[in-house]
Amino acid sequence: MIEFKSVSKLYADGTHAVDNFSVVIPSRKTTVFVGSSGCGKTTLLRMINRMVDPTSGAIEIDGENIANTEPVHLRRGIGYVMQNSGLLPHRTVIDNVATVLFLTKVPKVEAYARANELLDTVGLDRSLAKRYPGELSGGQQQRVGVARGLAANPNILLMDEPFGAVDPIVRIDLQAETMRLQRELDKTIVFVTHDIDEAFLLGDQVLILEKGAKIAQRGTPEEILANPASDFVASFIGADRGKRRLTVDSKVKAKGNDVVLIDAGGYAAGVISAPGGKLAVGSASPKSRSVSNKTSQAGDG
Amino acid sequence: MNLIIQGFLWIFDPAHFVTTATGTGIPDALASHLVLTGVSLLVTIVIAVPLGLYIGHTGKGRLVGIVASNVSRAFPSLGIIAIFVVIFQPIFSQNTNFASAIVAFILLGIPPLLAGAYSGLEAVDRQTIDAARAIGMTEWQILTKVEIPLGARLIVGGFRSSTLQIIATVTIASLYGNPLSLGTFITNGLAQADYPQMIAGAILVIALALIIDGLLAIVQRFVVPRGVSRGTTKTRNTARGARLAANSGTPIMEGN
Ligand SMILES: Nc1ncnc2c1ncn2[C@@H]1O[C@H](COP(=O)(O)OP(=O)(O)OP(=O)(O)O)[C@@H](O)[C@H]1O
Ligand SMILES: [Mg+2]
């Protein structure tokens, strides 16, 4: 469990990046910070591994104030994945993943064995192990970044817009992969994005932030969608534009029992099955969510 | 006969290989030139490298780094060296004061190396360094495992410039009698109107500079880590030499 207690960050140039922020981030769940550019998401995230120290307030991990933990030691126990992968360009893929282990003096053979396993975990072919980051695609680099983040087997994984720079198809793949990892490895993931769809997709808990990391709303995606706390939230999640309010298209007839749904703008938004003219119902259960484009994974859990 | 050929003939004349009462032998002059250069370089490294790395790593005292870069960019002009030598003329002409001469060489050698070390580190992608820190590297590990390898090409480039700077300055310093170097032949040739000797001195200095610069250029290629040389993206299996050939940096220094 990570707890922010009245945390503020005032940068030297006078920017109030974070203003009196308090929240509890539960263990083994994914918490997403979402908000527009400059609202303080990265600052919040980097305070967890002491890349940034708060001006006031305290951050506790499992009840221990991290201000009392030596930053280097703390960082070695927390995975960190950033937007542009941040890989060391002069080290091979396998060395990049193993670097974290070398830092903690894990013997070479063991470190490489673990690094190879991690390539499997993040869905990278082992034949890429000897390549340099510059010889990988953006999506592959991000996978290596995730593998490196997982190398030390940390309980906490911080991800700062990790899929912001990859194309939509690869992003969907990586998002699905992240959800699978979370399910399989049971990590506490703190994820930063400015994409509300990504936030709703990945988050068990979502925090919508305004400037100064002011919490506009906190809750599960369902809670937020059902009950936007303010006009700001409604606008941020697209509810005000009717993007989230779907109706059945009366004109188009889809095949079988499916009917087409349209949003308030009149754009096609999806399909729903309606056997015998009765719309299908289900119950929200975030853990079972999967959007992989691989059919074998669709609807699992 | 062509003066250049006479210069070469002078060099290959066995009589000029030994030091006699009437003249210095080439090996002795060369040895002195190398010792002066080597000693000056050692001290230059001890001062400029830690300072440059410190500035580059911490960003503190960047003004020093910037000034050093600008000063060293102005160096190739012989005029600056000449002015410098004139200022230090009293020191060079003191027969006994070897140490003072070295101080002058060091002062000229420091800026390019300091600038190289500083700009080598400065040129490393900030996000790479940030990531290295975020995964738990200590500042020392960031310096030695990330910044120095990635900045190595520019650091060695600075060393190359310093070396040539000092070789050139040692030559010119002999204009004022001391210290003994290959420049001594130029000075003596001029004084005695012995033009073959003068040309021979010039040829020797140029040859020395070219050989040492060539060796350092090779070193510079080899310090560039794999994975970062330009255009590696699709040249994974290219022979090392071929890939690196396009990547050798030219030192700022072009004089001598
Ligand atoms: N090192 C710094 N010094 C001064 N101001 C900073 C620093 N880092 C961030 N800021 C400022 O603090 C505010 C919050 O920045 P932060 O990077 O946390 O935002 P963000 O929500 O991550 O934005 P983005 O979505 O663009 O990444 C911004 O106004 C930014 O300009
Ligand atoms: Mg950010």
Side-chain angles (χ1 to χ4, degrees), chain B residues 111-161:
Chain B
L113 183 52
L114 196 156
Y118 156 75
S119 53
L121 262 53
E122 182 91 337
V124 178
D125 183 357
R126 293 296 104 184
Q127 293 200 299
T128 301
I129 295 171
D130 187 76
R133 190 171 287 126
I135 64 170
M137 285 197 179
T138 62
E139 294 306 305
W140 180 252
Q141 285 167 332
I142 292 170
L143 180 69
T144 56
K145 292 176 194 291
V146 181
E147 292 179 309
I148 292 179
L150 291 177
R153 194 175 64 82
L154 286 176
I155 298 172
V156 175
F159 180 71
R160 239 174 116 180
S161 300

Side-chain angles (χ1 to χ4, degrees), chain A residues 1-22:
Chain A
M1 185 180 84
I2 306 168
E3 188 167 4
F4 282 77
K5 290 182 165 172
S6 311
V7 171
S8 294
K9 176 64 190 180
L10 176 66
Y11 281 111
D13 65 355
T15 312
H16 257 296
V18 173
D19 195 14
N20 198 17
F21 179 88
S22 298

